[in-house]
Amino acid sequence: MEKLKNGYLFPEIGRKQLAHMKKYPDAEVINLGIGDTSEPIPRIITKAMAEYSLGLSTMEGYRGYGPEQGEKELRRAIAGTFYRNTGVKDTEVFISDGAQCDIARLQLLFGSNVTIAVQDPTFPAYVDSSIIIGQTGECADYGKYNRIEYLSCSPENLFFPNLSSIRPTDIIFFCSPNNPTGHAASRNQLEQLVETARRNGSIIVYDSAYAAYISDDSPRSIYEIPGSEEVAIEVSSFSKCAGFTGVRLGWTVIPEELRYSNGFAVHKDFDRIICTCFNGASNIAQAGGLACLTPEGHEALQGVISFYKENASILAETLSSIGLQVYGGQSSPYIWVHFPGAKSWEVFAEVLEKTHIITVPGSGFGPSGESFLRISAFNHRELIIEACNRFKRFFK
Ligand code: MLT
């Protein structure tokens, strides 16, 4: 814990927002910081949760503990919806209370005696959980921790790292579409990733939490790549595709073919971890998850995802039109804006002071995020338009 340099990124930003609101009590602060969904969950999904919930007050509908791995029906629906034609079986899907919680449980499984690689920049939970479990050395040059392999992703390499020169590590955390850059790795790039893991004996932890935002033919899952079942775990979530940031529901896939070098199945150990550390996801949330995967639920969600994607294009077009270098936003709800030569916390502070808009400083996602800001498209349309007007006035 002593090696951690700061508090976790998003609560730190929350504190800055509170301080700003105290300083300017009359300002209308627009939050384009943490990626928190803003639009209502389609009624077909909340109705399923409400009915399940009311059923809990009846003798017939009452349920206590469920299986730690999740309800069979939901595991089957996830395998059939997100992993059709990939060979993923329902018994390989573990339902959880969210991808971030599963990342922590995976770190508990891996323990302190492993090395990790991460995209740089990336979602901060991989690095912070690695520090907490004791996998890293001290924080050294440029805010990089010893024993972590940072895979730089920048405009120069089109946000995909050069895998041919990386130091082999036991684990590779890989998020696609990447949070924060918005880059969705292509099939060819994911083939390189799988090939690298196979060559180096690494396990990939593939985070597909933003897969629903992919606009092109990039793979939605690592299991679209042949051979990945022997080297990859996938974590994912209903948060960003179904507005479940508060409801809490996610899943992790561990294929039976994934083995340690001694031949033992990783699947069995993860099962042991979740039975010890988790009592299963809320049964009400799981009823909602099941409703998301009915044809009607799935269709209703596409409308919400399209709405956020339109927000992202409005933001990206506005920021490009005022001459900023803008990335992401096509296959992701995040816009990644470059301010060459500037310090991202300083840009964050100036934007907040002058526009009352909360963003996220790029360096919070890793050293290569320095001089970038991440802007989230999760907000109501009128606030996105108001934010664009404020950006136009500020950057003109
Ligand atoms: C973010 O990057 O804003 C995150 O997605 C928030 C989270 O899911 O923890």
Side-chain angles (χ1 to χ4, degrees), residues 257-284:
E257 292 89 337
L258 181 68
R259 307 268 156 165
Y260 301 110
S261 50
N262 67 2
F264 194 81
V266 177
H267 182 275
K268 287 204 175 118
D269 276 356
F270 191 66
D271 192 85
R272 184 71 175 81
I273 292 275
I274 62 148
C275 289
T276 310
C277 307
F278 186 50
N279 268 335
S282 148
N283 46 20
I284 301 169

Side-chain angles (χ1 to χ4, degrees), residues 45-358:
I45 296 160
T46 51
K47 189 164 172 280
M49 288 192 276
E51 279 167 5
Y52 188 95
S53 176
L54 287 171
L56 293 175
S57 288
T58 65
M59 288 307 273
E60 315 74 59
Y62 179 73
R63 298 280 181 282
Y65 289 124
E68 289 85 351
Q69 301 80 359
E71 297 295 341
K72 183 105 192 122
E73 221 182 332
L74 181 58
R75 298 174 85 188
R76 199 178 300 131
I78 288 176
T81 307
F82 298 112
Y83 302 105
R84 194 174 310 135
N85 304 326
T86 64
V88 168
K89 298 194 281 293
D90 54 359
T91 49
E92 297 169 326
V93 177
F94 294 84
I95 310 297
S96 74
D97 49 351
Q100 192 170 352
C101 314
D102 271 347
I103 289 161
R105 287 188 277 263
L106 284 168
Q107 291 287 31
L108 185 63
L109 168 68
F110 299 142
S112 57
N113 198 21
V114 300
T115 50
I116 71 159
V118 289
Q119 290 152 296
D120 174 24
T122 198
F123 181 50
Y126 316 136
V127 166
D128 283 17
S129 60
S130 171
I131 300 165
I132 289 170
I133 205 90
Q135 294 164 350
T136 75
E138 293 296 333
C139 184
D141 296 345
Y142 309 108
K144 290 187 177 178
Y145 282 82
N146 291 330
R147 297 191 76 220
I148 292 185
E149 180 73 355
Y150 289 83
L151 311 177
S152 176
C153 299
S154 62
E156 288 71 42
N157 60 13
L158 303 176
F159 299 106
F160 187 78
N162 177 1
L163 295 174
S164 63
S165 59
I166 71 168
R167 180 170 56 88
T169 56
D170 300 304
I171 312 295
I172 305 172
F173 283 98
F174 198 93
C175 178
S176 181
N178 176 268
N179 174 11
T181 68
H183 174 73
S186 67
R187 185 168 304 275
N188 176 272
Q189 291 173 333
L190 291 182
E191 283 166 359
Q192 290 175 41
L193 178 67
V194 168
E195 159 58 26
T196 304
R198 294 179 71 90
R199 190 176 60 242
N200 293 344
S202 311
I203 292 178
I204 300 165
V205 177
Y206 187 82
D207 185 340
S208 63
Y210 296 93
Y213 289 81
I214 294 178
S215 297
D216 58 18
D217 61 358
S218 300
R220 267 63 174 166
S221 161
I222 191 69
Y223 302 118
E224 292 182 37
I225 309 300
S228 59
E229 67 285 356
E230 292 177 1
V231 290
I233 290 169
E234 182 162 311
V235 292
S236 203
S237 164
F238 284 88
S239 287
K240 311 300 158 87
C241 65
F244 273 29
T245 48
V247 174
R248 307 306 309 150
L249 193 67
W251 70 91
T252 286
V253 178
I254 312 227
E256 280 160 16
E257 292 89 337
L258 181 68
R259 307 268 156 165
Y260 301 110
S261 50
N262 67 2
F264 194 81
V266 177
H267 182 275
K268 287 204 175 118
D269 276 356
F270 191 66
D271 192 85
R272 184 71 175 81
I273 292 275
I274 62 148
C275 289
T276 310
C277 307
F278 186 50
N279 268 335
S282 148
N283 46 20
I284 301 169
Q286 292 190 71
L290 204 51
C292 292
L293 303 182
T294 59
E296 301 76 21
H298 201 249
E299 197 188 324
L301 290 179
Q302 296 319 303
V304 187
I305 293 165
S306 300
F307 175 86
Y308 292 130
K309 287 175 76 168
E310 275 170 38
N311 279 355
S313 346
I314 295 169
L315 282 164
E317 275 165 30
T318 303
L319 295 164
S320 304
S321 75
I322 48 186
L324 296 171
Q325 283 172 271
V326 173
Y327 304 94
Q330 305 246 316
S331 287
S332 152
Y334 300 125
I335 316 294
W336 188 234
V337 192
H338 200 186
F339 298 87
K343 292 269 180 217
S344 44
W345 274 105
E346 286 172 19
V347 184
F348 165 86
E350 204 184 343
V351 168
L352 179 57
E353 186 66 27
K354 302 282 169 50
T355 68
H356 306 299
I357 297 174
I358 297 282

